[in-house]
Amino acid sequence: MPKLEITEEMLDAIEAVKGRRDPAYWDGRCKRYMENQKKNISDMTKTELEKKGRELGIELDKRQSKDKLIKEIEKYQKKG
């Protein structure tokens, strides 16, 4: 069985769900949390997207369309 590679995004989910940033704590609850985070991004307002971007360490311009803001966040998250 191949070993699961834990990403920074997965560590963030583990920390949010379990309160610890330890790869050994990865489970189904963490996976569902991470999936819900991705789904909910399209429901966010521009202000919430800007805040999420800041949490990730990027500055977004709210003058851009909501779709462009979402694409920027997703692009940054894929980079890791």
Side-chain angles (χ1 to χ4, degrees), residues 1 9 13-14 22 58 73:
M1 179 193 258
E9 187 179 10
I14 294 167
D22 185 347
I58 57 175
I73 288 174

Side-chain angles (χ1 to χ4, degrees), residues 41-77:
I41 196 167
S42 61
D43 296 333
M44 290 182 174
T45 65
K46 284 185 170 186
T47 303
E48 291 169 330
L49 289 169
E50 183 182 40
K51 183 178 176 185
K52 173 115 178 123
R54 285 188 181 138
E55 289 171 4
L56 294 170
I58 57 175
E59 190 64 37
L60 300 174
D61 184 353
K62 288 195 309 183
R63 294 175 291 183
Q64 294 182 356
S65 71
K66 184 176 173 181
D67 289 336
K68 284 187 180 184
L69 297 177
I70 289 171
K71 284 179 186 174
E72 280 190 53
I73 288 174
E74 288 175 344
K75 181 176 124 184
Y76 184 81
Q77 288 177 330

Side-chain angles (χ1 to χ4, degrees), residues 9-40:
E9 187 179 10
M10 292 165 85
L11 284 172
D12 292 341
I14 294 167
E15 186 175 19
V17 173
K18 305 287 184 163
R20 301 183 99 179
R21 198 170 180 82
D22 185 347
Y25 285 91
W26 178 257
D27 64 6
R29 285 186 359 193
C30 298
K31 184 178 178 181
R32 281 191 301 277
Y33 174 85
M34 203 166 96
E35 289 169 353
N36 286 337
Q37 289 298 100
K38 287 182 180 178
K39 288 179 188 174
N40 292 338

